[in-house]
Amino acid sequence: MSSRIAIKKLFETNPVGETVTIKGWIRSVRNSKAFSFLVVNDGTHLDSMQVVVDASLENYSEISALLTGSSVAITGLVVKSGGKGQAIEMQAFSAEVIGAAGEGYPLQKKASSLEFLRDNAHFRARTNLFGAIFRIRHELAMATHEFFSNRGFYYLNSPIITAVDGEGAGEMFKVTTLNMENPPKTDKGNIDYSKDYFGKEVSLAVTGQLEGECHALGLGAIYTFGPTFRSENSNTKRHLSEFWMIEPEVAFADLDEIADLAADYIKHLVSHALNKCSHELDFIWKLPFSDVDATHKDILENVRDSEFLKITYTEAIEILSKSGVKFEYPTNWGDELQTEHERYLTEKHFQRPVIVTNYPAGFKAFYMKQNDDGKTVRAMDVLVPGIGEIIGGSQREEDIDKLIARMDKDGMDKSGYWWYLDLRRYGSVPHAGFGLGFERAIMYITGMSNIRDVIAFPRTPKSCDF
């Protein structure tokens, strides 16, 4: 049997008259006395290949009895298809059963609910929907590396295990080798982490930013793209306990420069998806559970083509307060902007993407550069129509005295941050960065309404089965 050719390549080249071999999984079988139709998909393309198997085939009885989910290798002639909606099909010369599927295969021809597919996440990639989602995810990951590499950024693999809380919020998973049923104790009765593997208390990282700052202040510009973890006990459609973050960090950059970089990056992702994944996106957008309407493509094109407007937080509050709209959440200066506020700004007031800058220090992280007004920090959020905030970032505080004062105000233990403070002691420079939750971006572009459906194996409270 000749070597396998991807079904995607067959649809791209239409090699009518050539003999080829495909390998994949059966989506359906329709039998008659004279021949059978096998629908085979190998995961490389949204569409499946229809294969006509004649009853004269030596092992026809075995092939025609196969059930959905069985894996096969088929060699045959590519011919023009007389069926609607397909340009080519195959006429089988030979067929080999690689792995037969039994009666209990959970993915049958009838539609399965998203909840059912989450419970059977080990098979999700075999469905049209999740095959499309994960091909889009791959393309957006490649687009990310392309974007930053082409701009001279270096890819940094930041640590997953850390001894510091990068956000200062305390929502971290502990990592230990101690026997927690009978852990060693200090004289004060606390767990003695000096006896642990690393000799101190460590956790899974909530961000790679702090380590990213180290490398940006030596390499000039870096980006991280890796898993991050939050132990926040949230069961919303927008939260995961394990997710992927893209975090660029740039030396000698200010807030305006990092905001412009963020806008360019979002445009690049959207443009790449529209250009490379149109077939998959059109398929997803027609499904009843996608969180979009007929205007979603127009919204994405608007984001791709628009100039991102910059306003301050104070200006945003003034606009919201004077809008005459009765919001669920208050719009007083010092209150955090909520999704309803962000969507009003982007969808109603400006009707385009907006970058909000200079937020009150009270609800922003300790590392953000303080403004001279003593009230705000040089933070920014990128807001887009449809969801609101998609990127958050800031210029970092390079003044060691101001940084220490803020850490003291927040009651932080500075001992674990000695290396972070060293960056300000020796050759400190202005620098800035941002973070994008990769799954949030995939949700936005695909229109999927639940973040659990854009990651292979979602980790959420009380859910870690795979």
Side-chain angles (χ1 to χ4, degrees), residues 216-262:
L217 298 182
L219 295 174
I222 64 90
Y223 70 104
T224 69
F225 187 176
T228 51
F229 308 85
R230 303 280 169 90
S231 62
E232 180 182 7
N233 188 14
S234 177
N235 285 284
T236 76
K237 293 181 178 181
R238 290 171 55 84
H239 286 87
L240 290 168
S241 301
E242 175 186 300
F243 55 97
W244 286 66
M245 285 278 287
I246 295 99
E247 296 179 289
E249 200 72 30
V250 187
F252 308 105
D254 61 18
L255 186 67
D256 285 333
E257 291 171 292
I258 207 66
D260 291 341
L261 180 74

Side-chain angles (χ1 to χ4, degrees), residues 91 108 121 148 169 190 195 201 214 306 313 383 401-402 405:
Q91 293 177 347
Q108 295 304 312
F148 288 109
N190 300 319
K195 304 292 195 298
E201 189 174 359
C214 297
S306 292
Y313 165 87
L383 316 181
D401 293 329
K402 291 181 179 179

Side-chain angles (χ1 to χ4, degrees), residues 124 132 184 239 254 407 443:
R124 288 201 298 182
H239 286 87
D254 61 18
M407 296 173 79
M443 281 180 71

Side-chain angles (χ1 to χ4, degrees), residues 148 153 209 212-214 216-217 220-223 247-262 367-369 378-380 392-398 420 424 429-435:
F148 288 109
F153 283 66
Q209 178 198 314
E213 289 185 49
C214 297
L217 298 182
I222 64 90
Y223 70 104
E247 296 179 289
E249 200 72 30
V250 187
F252 308 105
D254 61 18
L255 186 67
D256 285 333
E257 291 171 292
I258 207 66
D260 291 341
L261 180 74
Y367 50 74
M368 296 185 177
K369 182 172 180 59
R378 292 187 63 74
M380 66 93 183
S394 72
Q395 186 173 336
R396 318 310 190 188
E397 182 56 76
E398 79 272 15
Y420 188 67
R424 278 75 178 169
V429 302
H431 59 290
F434 66 75

